[in-house]
Amino acid sequence: MLLEVFLVLGTVIIYFLLSKKKEETLPFKEGWWGRGQKPDTEEDTTIRPFKVETTEEELSDLFRRLDQARFAEPLENSCFHYGTNSVYLRKVVSYWKNQFNWKKQVEVLNKYPQFKTKIQGIDIHFVHVKPPHLPEGQSAKPLLMVHGWPGSFYEFYKIIPLLTDPASHGLSDEHVFEVICPSIPGYGFSEAPHKKDFDSVSAASVFYELMVRLGFKDFYTQGGDWGWLICTNLAQIAPNHVKGLHLNLASVTKMGFFHLLSVLLGRYLPGLFGFQDEDVRRMFPFLKKGLYRILLESGYAHIQATKPDTVGCGLNDSPVGLAAYILEKFSTWTDLEFRNLEDGGLGRKFNLDDLLTNIMIYWVSGSIVSSMRFYKENLQKGIGTQKHERLTVQVPTGIASFPNEVMHTPQAWAQKKYTNIVSFHFMPRGGHFAALEEPELLAEDILQFVGKVEKEHLWRKEGDQLP
Amino acid sequence: MWQETLPKAWESILSRIRSFEYSQKNAVLVPAAMLGVGGMLVYWLRSRHKIKTIEMGDGWWGSGERPLKGKEDESIRPFKIETSDKEIEDLHRRLEQARYAPPLEGAAFHYGFNSSYLQKVVAYWRNNFDWRKQVEVLNKFPHFQTTIEEPAAHGLNEGDVVFEVICPSIPGYGFSEAPHQKGFDTIATARIFHKLMNRLGFKEYYLQGGDWGSRITTNMAQMLPQSVKGLHLNIIFVNKQGLRRIISVMLGAYVPWLVGLSREDVRRMYPFIQKNIYELLRESGYLHIQATKPDTAGCGLNDSPVGLAAYILEKFSTWTDKSFLHKDDGGLESKYSLDELLTNVMIYWVTSSIVSSMRFYKENISKVSRLTADARVGVYVPTGIAAFPQEIVHTPHVWAKEVFKNIITYSYMPRGGHFAAFEEPKLLAQDIMHFVRKVEQL
């Protein structure tokens, strides 16, 4: 009897030990996302230069819609508690009609070289910026930066110069980057998939193919929002090619008993669960800062994960509706306190030109519906159920934890998934749209992270397993 | 000081009773016991008869401060729905300029309203739908408006063989003015509708409702039971909470009779997780966003009639029959005509009421404590329940009884979904008649 018990126990222990050592990779996801059947001919792999364009017709159509916009009066004293306040929205629309210059903004967008190339049947748009000059003996390090929803490649326009030309911006030029910012398929100028099931692993596979096509053997990746998940998946698919993974959001989707316990007791025994003072400050009281906050702020994710075509329909037809929907996030996700302000605090951290340029990218490309479908493709089977959610990440990881992110993930939780955290910093200020809101802070954190990885040669180099 | 005297006094009484002879003891104990039991019985009987109601309260929903002086204008003014060339041209222009995103291959209605089918609907709307004619159809029943707690509540009156029917628009919906203040919930609506009936000269009346109407009429019955002769509902909401409920759900799969579930209940409710959790999550995104950010969700819909149609018609598809998700056209025209569907959409469009209609979700759902307050108060008026098979959620009789203490009829309807009155008017009317006849006999 005792022997059997020991045998069983022994097997269990060995299983756990072995299963921990076995670092499984996520398989590369093949796909064909173009219209109809995949043709027999070889795919066109050329990389074509791309420029954003606009026409008089496009502008006059927009102005007509702005002129005919119908608004509903807000409730008295509701500020941003019921969503975007329509009194403030009228001001935005007035600026949009009379002062915002889309032609000028198109020139701003085109100041960085952009390209398109066909991968897995769809045209992928990306920005590719090389450093203007390199210090002696240095080579540019490729850095893939992935945006999220409702953002775009434009979010990176302020941080790109800090990374490609740090010296001119008062930063150390020990590491200089060549930055690649693709648009997620279905967002902005990247073609939307025509088939169902295009999820974050599909996006990661497409972006991996992109980096290979651009000739990079290894590279760094950076992301927040969906970019966080896509870059994480990329690190899981191709760990030997991702030198380092930097994130400004590090959600944990696979919650277990440990997490539950730490939520219940973490406030009183923070040390036991690996919580630092700042973690406790940001996370507790948990009902208010965790659960209720998530419930209050996740309605958009719920409807987009279930009925994207319905909710996106009106937004693709009404630029004012589109603006209201997107601006609400730029308000609340930058600082939850902004809900108490009549103008949602939107002018405090961003300027209207930047906000409207981002919205125009969704408008002129008609991509709001396809951008929302990404939620359904990723969430419809439930949170915590996907294979990639069960796998860990061994690539050196750096996490910049911004204080106004909607929900805080402590290092104690993140390290269960990201087993090789090289740096984890509590940023002094900033919210969800870090690259646009606090580009210097984010750039500094990326630079110090890469510095650590490079100095200690923290990336592994083993045999190539991928095509 | 009394801490010493009280026990001493008690002790002396006890010792005196102990010292009594047996028969004397009886003489004291038996009446004492009877008094105790009798007292409890009286209390219990009285508490049963003292029906708990919810407070009626009062409210002000107009702009700015409530005026101190002067009574509210209580006149009931006849109302006719009107339209204009300008309104129709504006609509046509928006329909013509609509931008669509092509659906995914093979998506049917699984991602929401299929935009290929939507284009067909919009083509009909632009070229065949006659709003002027529909306005005449709407005006065939008399409409009125009256000002209650400021917003103008709007209702219909129709002399009928058996019933005189009053159909108000919930404030914030259609031609009833929207509240300007926060906090307008089903209880405020219930109070306003009681005031309306009172103003129309009715002391006692029947109530019928589905969707929000079910919550509102239930609140009305809880508020003023003496005015409600009967309450007929085609959907009921009961708080599914507690260990007992979980156990009854688990047992119900194997021994339904033990937990009071009928075979039809089981057919409609199981598999439980699939139907009550998974499907509910899949269909409640709109509820989540409307209960948290109504002004955001409604903004684009108030500006794009096509977006408004997609949003509303998706419900008329999925909530009529869940299998319609698999159809490219969402099965809409199998149960309704496009004229009927578009007229309903037009009511939201011409009144610009989509945003205020959505706010109703936030006002009612974010207050968790208020919900439990009126959930504790039962419903004692005669109640009739028509349970339609394709309703989003099925509530069995045995669960309904926990809230509705006086169920006179509970009918399993043979067909139909959420929009019962629209989809199966005859079936619903028959069940209402059947219920009212029973109530009249009581």
Side-chain angles (χ1 to χ4, degrees), chain B residues 79-94:
Chain B
F79 174 78
K80 259 189 155 35
I81 296 167
E82 281 167 1
T83 185
S84 63
D85 283 339
K86 185 160 162 239
E87 184 173 77
I88 296 177
E89 274 159 24
D90 173 86
L91 172 71
H92 285 170
R93 200 175 55 244
R94 290 172 198 259

Side-chain angles (χ1 to χ4, degrees), chain A residues 268-302:
Chain A
Y268 314 103
L269 302 164
L272 187 64
F273 298 99
F275 289 163
Q276 298 179 54
D277 283 340
E278 182 64 13
D279 288 323
V280 175
R281 195 191 69 83
R282 289 186 185 187
M283 281 172 72
F284 296 94
F286 192 77
L287 267 186
K288 173 164 169 256
K289 294 196 183 181
L291 191 63
Y292 284 163
R293 194 172 278 181
I294 295 277
L295 276 177
L296 248 132
E297 296 302 326
S298 58
Y300 80 100
H302 191 169

Side-chain angles (χ1 to χ4, degrees), chain B residues 186-197:
Chain B
T186 54
I187 295 197
T189 316
R191 181 178 62 241
I192 285 184
F193 287 171
H194 270 309
K195 286 189 180 177
L196 173 69
M197 294 304 270

